[in-house]
Amino acid sequence: MSWPRSQLLEIGDQTWCPAWLHQHEQFSLTRLWNLKIPGWSRGSLATQACAVVQEHLKDLSSYTILDVCAGAGGPTPVLESEINKKLESEAKEPIQFILSDLFPHREEWSRISKKKQNVTYIETPVDARAAPRVAAKGKKECRIFNICFHHFGDKDAAGILRNTIESADAFIIFEITAREVWTCLCSPLVFFWAFYVTLIWYWNSPIHLLFTFVLPIAPLAIWVDGLISCLRTRTTKEVRALLDQPGLDLSKWTFHSGQKTVQFPFITLYYYIGVKAE
């Protein structure tokens, strides 16, 4: 069951949101991408995303992948490792991954880039509505939107898709929320995830410890933002409707959508893909 979409604002989107809290939310999402629970998980969100990429993008080594709203890096490091490992086993050229965002996370991206030779980043802000083509001559370009497309209102989302159709050769939208009763009911689970993230990765940060275990501001903010994400995530039909724009040529494009269960019944990866024919 679904209901009309609401373009609400998340706490992490506000200009008054403290930098440490915004960082905590971004990092929590990054760790969630890589969460695996032995005996339960079907891979992780990131490895399932790899499966989607490999399933729908033929001749993978011909692509460059631009992570348009990369945040703190999300699943890109895992995507790079998994996909390029497979390409190497097939004696094929590795894919280059490029991180970009309107608000660049240069320090985190630099750390990732030093560990991953096939991951680079754009230091200057990149507006997703006017993102430049980054693929080298002779290469195709795929743009990925990792748990971020729901942040944009219809006007901006339509502009992003127009720019993508006109400048790239494929795109993939990944989401882990949906406007469904069950997904909304599961959203409080991220409240407890915030405690785990602080305990493991921010145990030496007084401000994180204070606003997690004494005053649970971080867990509450992540929970509220998770619920709001559910309320404004688009259905497949709504994404497709945004593509029906005057003067936008879709004649060479095919579109697919689906979902993959990661931790049943709580975490599911939803995706919407567009691929341009050669």
Side-chain angles (χ1 to χ4, degrees), residues 217-273:
I217 300 299
L220 283 170
I222 292 175
W223 174 22
V224 169
D225 282 359
L227 179 59
I228 290 176
S229 294
C230 292
L231 299 178
R232 62 181 185 174
T233 300
R234 293 179 175 84
T235 64
T236 295
K237 290 183 178 179
E238 289 169 339
V239 175
R240 183 62 183 84
L242 290 174
L243 287 159
D244 292 328
Q245 303 179 37
L248 190 60
D249 184 8
L250 303 176
S251 60
K252 295 183 178 180
W253 287 78
T254 57
F255 304 99
H256 311 274
S257 62
Q259 61 188 64
K260 288 186 177 292
T261 300
V262 182
Q263 278 104 33
F264 179 83
F266 302 113
I267 300 180
T268 301
L269 180 68
Y270 303 90
Y271 58 89
Y272 189 91
I273 297 176

Side-chain angles (χ1 to χ4, degrees), residues 170-184:
F171 70 86
I172 306 176
I173 297 171
F174 288 120
E175 297 282 9
I176 60 171
T177 54
R179 290 200 325 270
E180 299 172 351
V181 172
W182 178 248
T183 308
C184 291

Side-chain angles (χ1 to χ4, degrees), residues 42-100:
R42 299 179 183 177
S44 65
L45 282 166
T47 55
Q48 289 287 17
C50 285
V52 172
V53 173
Q54 293 167 344
E55 180 181 347
H56 292 277
L57 295 186
K58 309 305 178 185
D59 191 17
L60 262 177
S61 61
S62 66
Y63 281 92
T64 293
I65 294 184
L66 175 66
D67 189 342
V68 185
C69 303
T76 294
V78 177
L79 289 174
E80 188 278 332
S81 295
E82 295 291 325
I83 291 175
N84 282 334
K85 187 184 301 181
K86 183 175 186 298
L87 291 175
E88 183 181 7
S89 69
E90 298 171 351
K92 294 181 179 178
E93 186 179 350
I95 285 183
Q96 299 299 311
F97 289 79
I98 302 175
L99 305 172
S100 71

